[in-house]
């Protein structure tokens, strides 16, 4: 691949699974440089690494803003992110510069839905607390009300954002005997019929659900959506689960709702910031289960994401079709 007779320069911001690296290494005339670490590239190194790059393969932990785009300069034709979420990309700036964007929808839907269901069950049935009690000697005998939680059978589940992942979560939850599945979003979804989904205003969803699952994308409209007013409308017995992005939730308000008994429990796969500092108040609560953003973390899913992000990058460099191009 040559730009006016020269090698196409690609910067990869992290060690990625070999499936993607193999594809990039096999690309003729493509000069790949890599931030060869499992830890995020420091901003200064990112600014250096992208200089003159034609392609950038990045992760959700890399903020790609005007400064990075300016540092890259006019060669930059394509940004490929190893994620389906793209809230870390300054889309307005990218659009202004005519840069194409690749992302990884669909291939991580099953893994993320599975993890979200696991998190919901772990939170509702208090699994981390139970495991801890077994280890610390708190298990004295079988007791009628000890470690009781909430079950899905006969419940009402509310899904905020019935997109690819929201739908896959719903499909997995229905067989547990869920009675009503409510969802909210900008538009009603024809595919909701498959899970008997009822499109309702957000307020209805919040006040009527026994389980609330957040699976929308992070946008200016969804930022801070789950705040004091939101939690105050939830049932005291309801469980809140978020596997979208941390910034959808106002964490101070969530802490207040959990510690005051306004809501029963919360399971979070995503937080602000990430990692969540070990002294964060949410981590002091027994009724809050926090995971380190592992929704898509299966070996095969990450391998497929890696390969897809490499193919997206090459398509963008060649000026041909990208397998998953973000249209905006
Ligand atoms: P989709 O684009 O398929 O779904 C996003 C959904 O968000 C759409 O249904 C959209 O509904 C909804 N949405 C947008 N704005 C609003 C709003 N204002 N109120 C309610 N809903 C809204 O994306 P995916 O399902 O593939 O992924 C969803 C998100 O999950 C990603 O953006 C990412 O942040 C997160 N994610 C997290 C992972 C993890 O590891 N925890 C793994 C993968 C993804 P509508 O069409 O009506 O606007
Ligand atoms: C994404 O893809 O947006 C997730 O957060 C990580 O897989």
């Amino acid at each position: 691949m040559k730009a006016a007779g020269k090698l196409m320069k690609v910067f990869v911001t992290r060690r990625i699974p070999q499936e993607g690296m193999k594809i990039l290494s096999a690309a003729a005339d493509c000069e790949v440089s890599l931030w060869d670490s499992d830890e995020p590239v420091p901003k200064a190194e990112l600014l250096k690494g992208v200089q003159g790059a034609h392609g950038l393969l990045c992760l959700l932990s890399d903020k790609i803003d005007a400064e990075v785009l300016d540092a890259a300069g006019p060669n930059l034709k394509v940004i490929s992110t190893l994620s389906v979420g793209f809230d870390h990309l300054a889309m307005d700036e990218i659009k202004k510069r005519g840069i194409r964007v690749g992302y990884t929808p669909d291939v991580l839907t099953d893994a993320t839905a599975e993890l979200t269901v696991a998190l919901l069950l772990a939170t509702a049935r208090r699994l981390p607390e139970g495991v801890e009690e077994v280890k610390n000697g708190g298990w004295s005998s079988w007791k009628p009300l000890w470690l009781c939680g909430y079950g899905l059978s006969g419940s009402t589940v509310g899904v905020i954002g019935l997109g690819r992942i929201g739908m896959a979560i719903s499909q997995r939850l229905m067989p547990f005997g869920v009675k009503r599945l409510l969802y909210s979003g900008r538009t009603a979804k024809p595919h909701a019929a498959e899970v008997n989904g009822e499109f309702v205003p957000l307020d209805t969803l919040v006040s009527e659900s026994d389980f609330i699952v957040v699976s929308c994308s992070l946008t200016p409209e969804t930022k801070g959506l789950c705040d004091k007013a939101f939690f105050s409308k939830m049932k005291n017995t309801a469980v809140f689960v978020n596997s979208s992005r941390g910034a959808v939730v106002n964490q101070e308000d969530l802490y207040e709702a959990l510690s005051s008994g306004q809501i029963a429990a919360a399971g979070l796969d995503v937080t602000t910031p990430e990692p969540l500092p070990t002294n964060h108040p949410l981590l002091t609560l027994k009724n809050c289960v926090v995971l380190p953003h592992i929704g898509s973390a299966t070996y095969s899913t990450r391998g497929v994401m890696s390969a897809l992000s490499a193919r997206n990058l090459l398509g963008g460099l060649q000026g041909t079709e990208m397998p998953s191009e973000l249209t905006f």
Side-chain angles (χ1 to χ4, degrees):
M1 236 165 295
K2 293 194 177 177
K6 284 194 283 185
L7 282 175
M8 293 278 226
K9 202 180 150 202
V10 165
F11 184 59
V12 180
T13 65
R14 193 88 63 93
R15 266 180 220 144
I16 58 169
Q18 44 135 4
E19 287 86 339
M21 277 320 281
K22 273 191 193 154
I23 292 169
L24 292 181
S25 315
D29 302 333
C30 193
E31 182 187 84
V32 180
S33 59
L34 167 78
W35 177 251
D36 195 7
S37 167
D38 290 327
E39 297 303 323
V41 59
K43 184 77 179 251
E45 294 296 331
L46 173 59
L47 294 174
K48 215 181 336 162
V50 292
Q51 271 174 35
H54 301 89
L56 172 65
L57 196 156
C58 67
L59 271 62
L60 57 90
S61 45
D62 305 313
K63 208 169 167 37
I64 307 303
D65 55 16
E67 192 184 3
V68 174
L69 299 171
D70 287 344
N75 283 348
L76 192 62
K77 294 158 93 106
V78 55
I79 298 171
S80 171
T81 182
L82 188 93
S83 62
V84 66
F86 50 89
D87 48 280
H88 55 299
L89 308 178
M91 296 307 288
D92 289 355
E93 296 291 334
I94 290 170
K95 194 173 181 176
K96 246 198 280 181
R97 292 162 170 82
I99 298 166
R100 294 170 76 189
V101 175
Y103 70 143
T104 64
D106 301 311
V107 297
L108 43 57
T109 296
D110 288 346
T112 308
E114 223 170 75
L115 186 281
T116 307
V117 171
L119 176 58
L120 183 151
L121 290 169
T123 307
R125 297 299 302 272
R126 304 170 63 178
L127 301 193
E129 268 185 89
V131 170
E132 191 51 36
E133 294 288 15
V134 172
K135 289 184 182 167
N136 69 19
W139 181 17
S140 59
S141 84
W142 189 94
K143 289 178 260 183
L145 285 177
W146 189 52
L147 283 176
C148 284
Y150 299 93
L152 278 162
S153 181
S155 71
T156 297
V157 170
V159 178
I160 300 179
L162 197 73
R164 289 172 290 252
I165 295 171
M167 186 64 192
I169 295 168
S170 306
Q171 286 164 332
R172 283 159 178 75
L173 290 180
M174 291 311 280
F176 282 92
V178 168
K179 196 162 144 205
R180 289 179 75 205
L181 189 120
L182 314 179
Y183 73 99
S184 69
R186 288 175 298 189
T187 53
K189 306 282 177 235
H191 59 240
E194 238 183 273
V195 288
N196 290 326
E198 301 169 40
F199 185 54
V200 295
L202 183 65
D203 274 1
T204 307
L205 182 149
V206 175
S207 61
E208 295 186 7
S209 297
D210 301 302
F211 298 89
I212 294 181
V213 180
V214 184
S215 55
C216 59
S217 33
L218 173 62
T219 67
E221 295 85 61
T222 61
K223 189 166 185 222
L225 180 77
C226 306
D227 60 4
K228 193 177 167 69
F230 178 102
F231 295 120
S232 72
K233 288 174 205 138
M234 281 177 66
K235 297 180 186 178
N236 297 149
T237 50
V239 174
F240 175 82
V241 175
N242 181 18
S243 61
S244 67
R245 284 291 182 266
V248 174
V249 175
N250 179 315
Q251 288 176 177
E252 285 73 40
D253 294 346
L254 175 62
Y255 175 83
E256 199 47 45
L258 286 167
S259 56
S260 66
Q262 173 63 50
I263 70 171
L268 312 173
D269 183 44
V270 286
T271 59
T272 316
E274 292 183 359
L276 194 66
T278 53
N279 64 355
H280 194 280
L282 281 175
L283 299 179
T284 64
L285 300 174
K286 283 190 172 174
N287 57 349
C288 188
V289 178
V290 182
L291 299 179
H293 202 148
I294 52 170
S296 63
T298 69
Y299 292 110
S300 65
T301 300
R302 290 285 166 81
V304 176
M305 287 169 68
S306 182
L308 177 55
S309 63
R311 289 200 187 94
N312 280 336
L313 190 85
L314 296 184
L317 288 176
Q318 288 159 348
T320 56
E321 200 183 323
M322 292 160 71
S324 289
E325 180 167 7
L326 188 61
T327 46
F328 56 98

